[in-house]
Amino acid sequence: MISDKKTLEKVYTARNSEQLMDAYKDWAVHYENDTLGEFGYVAPKATAKTLHTFAAEADQRILDAGCGTGLVGQALRELGYAAIDALDYSKEMLDQAAGKNIYAKHIQADLRQPLEIPNDTYDAVVCTGTFTYGHVDARAFDELIRITKPQGVIVFTIRDGAYQELGYRKRMIDLELAEAWELLTFHDEDYLRAENVICKMCAYRVLSPDRARQEA
Ligand SMILES: C[S@@+](CC[C@H](N)C(=O)[O-])C[C@H]1O[C@@H](n2cnc3c(N)ncnc32)[C@H](O)[C@@H]1O
């Protein structure tokens, strides 16, 4: 079943975290029908493919940050990755992801706050669909760098429009200049294909998590 308009409107017009989580609570069970079925959401597979280009080792430890119902985790599993943890702020989305039995750990946490994850924990972090309007802003980059090992890879999408408007670009470049990470790829990809929405597909190699900490 596709969601009613009211549910989707709540996601798109949420003005704070509480409203957004409330919207995802209602959306969780219909999320995949809507995004995959209606909107032509192709970013999860594209993200997994991008990670595979730069970090193909199957045994690496990966965090799927803003995992939602687990679409990126599924795409990663299809490419042979097996050690994947899931993180999301929405309990209901995380419950959907847990139902798939594809993640080693399920972490409920807010990407806009310091994470209770030790430094240098992951070989790779992916974050798809979460850098967008009303969701998570550029300050989260610092935490993603902190929890990624030096030489680890971070792959994320930023919805077109939000990229230009919400300050992501400035923080990405500041962190490049600080040599906290180096750019591997930055290109346009289809995002919601049926809606003609594209995203920036970004991949970075972490150089020095300490530099991100000093910069913050
Ligand atoms: C559009 S969905 C993308 C989910 C999944 N990555 C995918 O591609 O299908 C965005 C996800 O970000 C999560 N999210 C939004 N704000 C968050 C925050 N502050 N911290 C952690 N997760 C957040 C939402 O709960 C939702 O599951």
Side-chain angles (χ1 to χ4, degrees):
M1 190 188 120
I2 304 298
S3 295
D4 58 44
K5 260 192 159 169
K6 238 175 144 189
T7 305
L8 291 180
E9 253 174 50
K10 271 171 81 178
V11 175
Y12 294 131
T13 59
R15 279 196 302 272
N16 54 46
S17 216
E18 239 173 44
Q19 287 182 5
L20 186 67
M21 290 305 111
D22 194 45
Y24 272 110
K25 187 176 180 176
D26 295 340
W27 201 20
V29 286
H30 304 303
Y31 174 84
E32 292 193 4
N33 277 335
D34 289 344
T35 55
L36 299 177
E38 279 284 285
F39 308 152
Y41 185 46
V42 289
K45 277 185 193 269
T47 303
K49 213 172 127 200
T50 303
L51 179 66
H52 201 250
T53 303
F54 297 107
E57 303 77 27
D59 62 348
Q60 60 190 302
R61 190 166 176 203
I62 302 171
L63 179 69
D64 182 359
C67 64
T69 58
L71 291 175
V72 183
Q74 274 179 290
L76 290 169
R77 291 293 290 240
E78 280 165 22
L79 291 175
Y81 299 103
I84 316 167
D85 291 345
L87 181 151
D88 203 283
Y89 198 25
S90 159
K91 183 184 176 305
E92 290 75 15
M93 294 294 271
L94 209 50
D95 285 347
Q96 295 290 321
K100 291 185 174 160
N101 290 318
I102 54 174
Y103 294 106
K105 265 194 199 172
H106 303 87
I107 305 164
Q108 190 181 4
D110 184 350
L111 283 168
R112 298 179 313 169
Q113 302 294 331
L115 300 170
E116 286 179 22
I117 297 174
N119 296 347
D120 309 340
T121 296
Y122 290 101
D123 300 294
V125 173
V126 290
C127 187
T128 308
T130 304
F131 292 120
T132 183
Y133 297 109
H135 284 54
V136 175
D137 67 27
R139 281 170 294 186
F141 293 148
D142 301 66
E143 272 298 87
L144 298 189
I145 292 171
R146 181 187 67 74
I147 63 172
T148 304
K149 295 174 187 170
Q151 299 304 309
V153 172
I154 303 177
V155 179
F156 53 92
T157 63
I158 308 176
R159 186 187 168 119
D160 197 47
Y163 171 73
Q164 290 82 355
E165 292 166 39
L166 300 185
Y168 294 109
R169 180 183 153 78
K170 182 178 183 314
R171 190 68 192 140
M172 285 159 67
I173 291 171
D174 284 350
L175 289 164
E176 283 174 42
L177 292 174
E179 297 182 348
W181 62 10
E182 69 177 353
L183 189 63
L184 296 172
T185 190
F186 173 84
H187 60 269
D188 289 346
E189 283 263 358
D190 284 351
Y191 187 67
L192 302 171
R193 199 173 266 164
E195 309 268 301
N196 288 321
V197 177
I198 61 167
C199 68
K200 304 297 180 195
M201 178 64 72
C202 312
Y204 279 96
R205 188 174 305 286
V206 170
L207 297 177
S208 166
D210 289 336
R211 298 256 169 91
R213 280 168 222 150
Q214 285 156 17
E215 268 282 294

